[in-house]
Amino acid sequence: MANIDLHGEGVDFSYILLDNYKQFGISETELSVIFMIDHLLRQGNGLITPDLLSLKMNLKTHELDHILSSLYNNGYLSFETAQGGMQTSLLPLKEKLYKAFERTLAKDRANLHSEQRASALKRLNDYFEKRLNRILSPLENDTLGKWLDSGYSEEEIRDCLEEALNQRKKSFKSIEKILHSGRIRSDIAKEGYSGLSDNWDQDIERTIEIAKAKWVDED
């Protein structure tokens, strides 16, 4: 996954903060202070002090001083030396929030992929059982899953089944040979070689001929 731009803020900071502040142990009062700090920083203020915050908020100066100390101690706030003076930064909090966002996004994508794979596998299983007129074994169903995981699409797998049936072949070994042959032809057409071939770099012409040739079914 590409790194999120913390300075350009390609992902909305306010949204991620509101969605995650509870799990970070941030209180609603601290949340309002963080939003005010972010607002003041965007206006061009450098060092955010309790006195400055008190001009914008209903909280007392001593309360704000305690909150700033708590945010600093929890690693959500830092003070950096820049342009000859001290500046307040919310970068530590943003880094934590965006890492949590990336983990959640990765988990959601993994779950979506898992659901899509399960749906694709069921459709293929149903299609194969209908076309072969029999129930697939657990090993055969596992093979369908391995083909999907290898990057073959549902359409490619169905087409290779139909090609095998047209050749009066019904074994998974025959179908896999057709898939393999198609992948080699596709690789050569796109890249000029295929990593699935052992001798492409020794004899390109021979590799192309092998890729174009029909696989001999040994069943």
Side-chain angles (χ1 to χ4, degrees), residues 25 55 83 185:
L55 296 175
Q83 298 178 354
R185 289 197 299 270

Side-chain angles (χ1 to χ4, degrees), residues 8 27 60 96 164 171:
S27 70
K60 304 296 184 181
K96 294 178 187 293
S171 73

Side-chain angles (χ1 to χ4, degrees), residues 36 39-40 43 45 47-62 64:
M36 182 56 69
H39 173 68
L40 292 172
Q43 286 188 329
N45 296 282
L47 181 63
I48 309 301
T49 65
D51 288 335
L52 179 59
L53 287 169
S54 67
L55 296 175
K56 294 285 188 177
M57 306 185 74
N58 292 322
L59 296 170
K60 304 296 184 181
T61 302
H62 71 275
L64 291 164

Side-chain angles (χ1 to χ4, degrees), residues 1 102-118:
M1 180 184 300
E102 287 181 332
R103 288 194 297 268
T104 300
L105 189 60
K107 183 178 179 181
D108 289 343
R109 286 177 175 171
N111 289 338
L112 177 60
H113 174 73
S114 179
E115 292 173 4
Q116 291 174 336
R117 182 187 183 278

Side-chain angles (χ1 to χ4, degrees), residues 145-156:
K146 289 180 179 178
W147 290 345
L148 287 172
D149 294 338
S150 295
Y152 294 109
S153 68
E154 285 184 68
E155 184 179 4
E156 285 179 298

